[in-house]
Amino acid sequence: GGLASRLSKREHRAEDRGPSRRHQATMAAMMLQETVKKYFRGFQHRKFHESKALGCKMSLGVYLPGAYETESKIPVLYYLSGLTCTDENASQKSGIQQYADEKGIAVVFPDTSPRGLNVPGESDSWDFGVGAGFYLNATMPKWKKWRMYDYITEELPSYLQTTFPNLDTTNASLTGHSMGGHGALTIFFKNHQKYKSVSAFSPICNPVNCPWGKKAFTGYLGVNEAAWKSYDATELAKAYDGPNTKVFIDQGADDDFLKSGQLLPENFEKAVEGKSNIELKLKMREGYDHSYFYIATFAEDHVNFHAKYLKP
């Protein structure tokens, strides 16, 4: 019995060092709790809701500016996050709420993919599956619940309108970072009648021609190249025949993903060069990389850009 008792003592000691089961359960419950935090003059909400499009419970952040208390018809800016992010990265690190509060604009921070579906292989790599929804509707049967495009464009606005009646989801704009910048640009070009304006931080501009995009599109859409092009900002810009629009793309010049050919803003720039209906404002920021330090530095410029269209 000596070995057994020594083992059980060792287990008890390990139990003392590590978080107890009860503590872990409490932490898990807290992670799923809706929260409201005073932030500048408004409130940062974290919400959960059942998504029909994605077949799971989704979390999201919603920043309501101070103006929400006294005004109806508050405009909405969607912030779409990048690879590996949850709804909390940008809401905690971007600092965008301060400027949105000043302008009386709400900011919505959705998650980046369905979670908890336990599709085999969904967490095997950081750039595909969980945390990597690419804001498209997957057609490959295994990934059929990866329908972030429908979630962002249809389900989320109606949830927001019901939950926060003073929001005006018909007066909305899009921004995002990296994969989320790709999401903002593609969703805008496919639905320009639904959104007032679009901007992006270091977006994946031409995914059909970069490693991230080729991997994601092959997995989600198969080898159907027409489908790939329908979720590519450069291809959509080439074909865009809607009303005159201004596109603001922001890019750190010292971004490793720019240097390794993942982002390709130069291809987007080339695609819109001769187009009279797209005016591109491309800002290259010397010395800045791909991080939230860079995003936080220029968040104000993006809010000011969108405010011109949301609150003319």
Side-chain angles (χ1 to χ4, degrees), residues 41-195:
R41 290 172 308 176
F43 290 92
Q44 180 70 42
H45 292 252
R46 191 173 196 219
K47 304 295 281 182
F48 295 89
H49 71 116
E50 291 296 335
S51 164
K52 282 202 178 77
L54 304 169
C56 65
K57 183 177 263 194
M58 291 297 283
S59 56
L60 72 148
V62 180
Y63 180 70
L64 300 179
Y68 186 87
E69 305 294 319
T70 52
E71 294 171 32
S72 59
K73 301 269 183 209
I74 297 290
V76 174
L77 177 60
Y78 293 95
Y79 182 106
L80 306 183
S81 289
L83 289 164
T84 75
C85 288
T86 68
D87 58 292
E88 292 194 297
N89 297 67
S91 67
Q92 293 177 1
K93 293 180 180 177
S94 70
I96 199 168
Q97 294 95 325
Q98 177 180 357
Y99 313 111
D101 186 32
E102 286 165 10
K103 298 289 187 188
I105 296 169
V107 189
V108 176
F109 304 90
D111 202 350
T112 52
S113 77
R115 290 181 194 268
L117 294 174
N118 299 319
V119 174
E122 66 175 23
S123 298
D124 286 359
S125 54
W126 63 275
D127 54 1
F128 185 82
V130 168
F134 273 85
Y135 304 98
L136 47 71
N137 288 337
T139 51
M140 296 302 274
K142 181 177 177 180
W143 303 103
K144 63 180 186 291
K145 289 294 187 193
W146 264 247
R147 301 183 66 80
M148 287 298 291
Y149 178 85
D150 279 358
Y151 175 71
I152 299 291
T153 57
E154 288 168 28
E155 192 173 21
L156 190 53
S158 74
Y159 166 79
L160 291 166
Q161 202 64 79
T162 311
T163 313
F164 300 107
N166 285 359
L167 295 183
D168 180 5
T169 55
T170 66
N171 187 19
S173 291
L174 294 154
T175 190
H177 172 234
S178 199
M179 175 184 74
H182 143 81
L185 292 168
T186 54
I187 288 170
F188 178 82
F189 283 123
K190 287 158 85 79
N191 304 271
H192 58 82
Q193 69 295 342
K194 261 190 184 177
Y195 301 98

Side-chain angles (χ1 to χ4, degrees), residues 8 32 182 228 300:
S8 78
L32 287 176
H182 143 81
W228 287 28
E300 184 176 14

Side-chain angles (χ1 to χ4, degrees), residues 3 5-20:
L3 179 63
S5 72
R6 277 208 304 280
L7 279 175
S8 78
K9 272 182 197 152
R10 190 179 298 162
E11 276 166 18
H12 281 303
R13 284 205 300 274
E15 187 88 336
D16 292 340
R17 278 201 307 272
S20 69

Side-chain angles (χ1 to χ4, degrees), residues 207-272:
V208 303
N209 286 315
C210 80
W212 279 338
K214 288 175 183 174
K215 176 178 178 175
F217 288 0
T218 304
Y220 294 134
L221 305 168
V223 290
N224 174 353
E225 231 165 80
W228 287 28
K229 287 182 174 179
S230 75
Y231 293 109
D232 181 297
T234 298
E235 295 293 336
L236 290 167
K238 274 183 204 165
Y240 176 73
D241 59 1
N244 286 0
T245 191
K246 191 169 183 180
V247 175
F248 176 17
I249 292 180
D250 203 306
Q251 176 62 60
D254 216 17
D255 183 329
D256 287 340
F257 297 118
L258 175 69
K259 294 170 186 172
S260 63
Q262 293 281 23
L263 307 178
L264 305 172
E266 62 276 18
N267 293 8
F268 186 89
E269 189 175 26
K270 200 175 291 170
V272 303

